[in-house]
Amino acid sequence: MANVTTHDLIQMKQKGERIVALTCYDALFARLLDASGIDILLVGDSVNQVLAGAPSTLSATLDQMIYHTTIVRRGVERAMVVCDMPFLTYQVTPEEAVRNCGRAMQATGCHAVKLEGGQPMAATVRRLVDVGIPVMGHIGLTPQSVHALGGYRVQGREDAAAERLKVDAKALEDAGAFAVVLELIPAPLASQISKALTIPTIGIGAGPACDGQVLVLHDMLGLNDRFSAKFVKKYAAMAEDVREAARLFAAEVREGRYPGPEHSFGK
C-alpha cells in the first residue's frame, strides 16, 4: 500500500477533501490509527510532555524524536509520517538543519519533517526542500517559542500580529513547504490564510476553515485527563477506563480470582 504523499495532500486541498492528522508516538497506536484511515501521523515533540512528563517541549532531543519516529514508522502502511524537529536542531544555520533533518529522515524512514517559525525560517525551509527534504511549516502558537510568546495563548488577535502571520504563511509556501500547521489563531484569520495559500493548512485551535485538523492523540482519547483546552474535543474517556481496569485487576489478584484455571497451564 502506498503512503500518503505531499502531492496527495495538495490534491486533497484542491478537491476540498479534509485532511486528518493525529500525533503518534509508538508502533501500536500507529497501527491502529493507520488502519482507521488517518492521513498524517505527526510524531510531535509533544511526546516530551505527554509521555516523558516534561513541562514543555523545549528539552526534547533529536535522539528522542528519532527513536519515537522510528517505531511509529514500523506501524504504518498508508499514513504520512512526519517527524517534529526539536528545539535548536534547525534554528542555528540552514546547513545544520540539513544535517539534522537529513539524519532524522535517514534513520527513521519518515516522509517529512516539521519546523516551527515563519518568515525567519523561510531560507532554511528552502534549503531543506532544495536537497529533497519535504517540510511542513508551523506558525501561530509555536510551543518551542512559548517563553518568547508569553505563554500558551491565542496568537494573531491584533491587526499587526494577524498581518505578520499572513506574511509568515506565504513565506513558507514560497519557500517550498508542502503544508503549514496553524495553531491557536482566530478562526477568521485561519480562514483567510487557508484561502490565500495553495498548500494545505492543518489547524489545531484554528477553527473549521483549515484544510485539515490535528489533535494530540492522548487529548483526543481522553487519556490525558489533566489537560483541557477549548479546542480539544474528547472522543473517548480512556483515562477512567484505564483506572477502572487497573482497579479490577488489582482486586482480582488480591482476592485470588486471577489467574483462574482458564489462564493457567497444566503439564
Side-chain angles (χ1 to χ4, degrees):
M1 183 183 296
N3 291 101
V4 173
T5 68
T6 58
H7 181 68
D8 292 332
L9 297 177
I10 291 172
Q11 282 196 321
M12 289 175 72
K13 177 184 175 84
Q14 292 171 348
K15 295 175 182 178
E17 298 174 2
R18 299 292 181 170
I19 298 163
V20 184
L22 283 168
T23 65
C24 190
Y25 313 121
D26 63 78
L28 175 58
F29 269 122
R31 179 173 59 81
L32 296 173
L33 299 177
D34 193 50
S36 301
I38 303 303
D39 301 309
I40 300 171
L41 295 184
L42 171 62
V43 189
D45 58 359
S46 51
V47 66
N48 206 43
Q49 296 170 289
V50 176
L51 296 190
S56 75
T57 66
L58 288 170
S59 59
T61 67
L62 183 55
D63 286 342
Q64 184 182 17
M65 297 311 304
I66 286 175
Y67 170 76
H68 284 281
T69 305
T70 298
I71 61 176
V72 166
R73 185 67 184 90
R74 289 175 187 161
V76 166
E77 293 183 4
R78 175 188 172 273
M80 171 184 284
V81 176
V82 180
C83 178
D84 207 354
M85 296 301 294
F87 184 56
L88 288 186
T89 60
Y90 58 91
Q91 292 100 331
V92 179
T93 65
E95 290 70 27
E96 187 169 338
V98 168
R99 281 194 296 271
N100 289 329
C101 294
R103 179 187 165 202
M105 292 198 71
Q106 187 176 50
T108 68
C110 71
H111 306 106
V113 298
K114 182 175 78 64
L115 313 182
E116 295 182 9
Q119 191 171 22
M121 292 307 304
T124 297
V125 172
R126 171 52 63 192
R127 182 78 176 92
L128 291 167
V129 172
D130 284 347
V131 299
I133 298 175
V135 177
M136 175 182 285
H138 183 158
I139 61 174
L141 188 282
T142 45
Q144 293 174 12
S145 304
V146 63
H147 298 305
L149 295 173
Y152 297 97
R153 58 189 184 87
V154 175
Q155 303 296 305
R157 280 181 159 152
E158 301 79 18
D159 289 345
E163 288 304 315
R164 283 195 299 271
L165 287 174
K166 292 178 186 178
V167 170
D168 284 339
K170 190 63 170 66
L172 291 172
E173 178 180 64
D174 291 345
F178 69 87
V180 58
V181 172
L182 305 180
E183 181 168 359
L184 275 189
I185 69 173
L189 174 59
S191 178
Q192 292 171 24
I193 292 173
S194 299
K195 290 175 182 176
L197 300 182
T198 61
I199 60 173
T201 59
I202 310 296
I204 178 167
C210 296
D211 302 298
Q213 299 291 331
V214 63
L215 281 176
V216 171
L217 175 63
H218 293 64
D219 298 341
M220 185 273 287
L221 292 177
L223 270 169
N224 186 10
D225 61 351
R226 292 187 176 182
F227 175 78
S228 62
K230 180 180 176 66
F231 62 87
V232 174
K233 180 175 180 179
K234 296 184 178 182
Y235 287 82
M238 292 183 66
E240 184 53 36
D241 291 341
V242 170
R243 281 192 291 263
E244 181 56 30
R247 284 193 290 262
L248 182 59
F249 171 67
E252 291 194 357
V253 169
R254 288 166 182 151
E255 295 165 7
R257 291 189 289 130
Y258 177 82
E262 68 275 28
H263 306 113
S264 304
F265 299 96
K267 290 184 179 180

